[in-house]
């Protein structure tokens, strides 16, 4: 990928980061924050969201490179940034946002497969969504599980681009979120920031884990 293309993607990420707070606020205010969830303090530094979004976009551009599905990864990441903010604010993954990410992934990957003549990769993407959904349904049905079906639906959506990349990326994308979330929970418990039964959002960990899986692929 050329330096000019990388700079353009970085600028696009910065723009997305500027829009994310206002979009996420519209969804977050539709739900009251559960009293048991202490939640993060509002981010007042306006440069944080653009910096995060730029890092996410540049990381994907470097990792995915000239793959015809790169625009799909960026589009899903843009919606994911909004989802992460909403989940942190009110422990919700709104269905319209998850559906939008799923439609972008399905439509975009289908177009990429047709244009590049790689129908097999589309089958891999669909298989990734099925595997991710099935694994998280099983986790959600375990006794005492706090995994919500919003998390299951998001995992299925993220399984599409991960499955497009292949088995290794999919496996990493299934494992890393739970390692990250588990480590965070243990750290917060050790610091006495939360209690044992405090509900914590899994959506951000699913998204960060999927991003890391792409970078490590």
């Amino acid at each position: 990928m050329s330096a000019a293309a990388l700079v353009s993607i970085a600028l696009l990420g910065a723009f997305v980061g500027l829009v994310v707070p206002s979009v996420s606020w519209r969804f977050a205010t539709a739900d009251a924050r559960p009293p048991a969830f202490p939640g993060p303090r509002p981010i007042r530094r306006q440069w944080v969201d653009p910096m995060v979004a730029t890092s996410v976009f540049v990381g994907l551009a470097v990792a995915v490179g000239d793959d015809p599905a790169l625009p799909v990864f960026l589009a899903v990441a843009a919606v994911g940034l909004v989802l992460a903010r909403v989940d942190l604010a009110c422990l919700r993954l709104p269905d319209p946002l998850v559906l939008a990410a799923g439609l972008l992934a399905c439509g975009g990957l289908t177009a990429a497969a047709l244009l590049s003549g790689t129908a097999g990769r589309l089958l891999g993407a669909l298989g990734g969504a099925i595997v991710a959904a099935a694994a998280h349904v099983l986790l959600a049905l375990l006794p005492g599980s706090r995994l919500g079906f919003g998390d299951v639906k998001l995992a299925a959506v993220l399984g599409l681009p991960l499955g497009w990349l292949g088995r290794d990326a999919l496996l990493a994308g299934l494992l890393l979120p739970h390692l990250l979330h588990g480590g965070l929970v243990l750290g917060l418990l050790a610091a006495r920031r939360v209690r044992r039964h405090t509900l914590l959002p899994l959506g951000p960990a699913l998204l960060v884990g999927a991003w890391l899986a792409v970078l490590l692929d």
Side-chain angles (χ1 to χ4, degrees):
M1 177 174 291
S2 67
L6 199 58
V7 170
S8 298
I9 291 174
L11 292 174
L12 177 61
F15 173 75
V16 169
L18 290 173
V19 175
V20 162
S22 59
V23 176
S24 60
W25 177 252
R26 292 177 182 272
F27 285 93
T29 52
D31 298 290
R33 178 180 297 166
F37 178 54
R41 293 182 179 181
I43 298 175
R44 300 186 183 277
R45 297 179 178 86
Q46 296 182 352
W47 52 268
V48 171
D49 287 287
M51 184 182 69
V52 171
T54 299
S55 300
V56 169
F57 273 46
V58 170
L60 290 174
V62 172
V64 179
D66 295 325
D67 191 301
L70 175 60
V72 182
F73 282 77
L74 297 179
V76 173
V79 180
L81 289 166
V82 179
L83 279 167
R85 247 183 169 271
V86 175
D87 202 17
L88 285 169
C90 58
L91 287 176
R92 295 279 292 180
L93 292 168
D95 284 339
L97 287 175
V98 177
L99 177 62
L103 292 176
L104 287 170
C106 286
L109 292 177
T110 299
L114 293 175
L115 292 174
S116 60
T118 54
R121 297 189 74 180
L122 181 59
L123 293 176
L126 294 175
I130 292 171
V131 170
H136 285 81
V137 165
L138 291 176
L139 289 174
L141 294 176
L142 289 175
S145 174
R146 298 182 183 181
L147 191 71
F149 276 89
D151 300 315
V152 173
K153 288 178 278 189
L154 177 58
V157 170
L158 296 176
L160 288 165
L162 291 173
W164 173 272
L165 292 178
R167 181 185 61 185
D168 292 343
L170 177 62
L171 291 176
L174 291 174
L175 181 61
L176 285 173
H178 299 283
L179 292 177
L180 293 170
H181 185 72
L184 175 64
V185 170
L186 289 176
L188 290 174
L189 285 172
R192 298 185 179 181
R193 295 291 302 275
V194 298
R195 297 181 179 180
R196 185 176 179 181
H197 298 291
T198 301
L199 295 175
L200 294 172
L202 180 62
L206 290 172
L207 291 158
V208 173
W211 180 69
L212 291 174
V214 175
L215 266 58
L216 296 172
D217 184 57

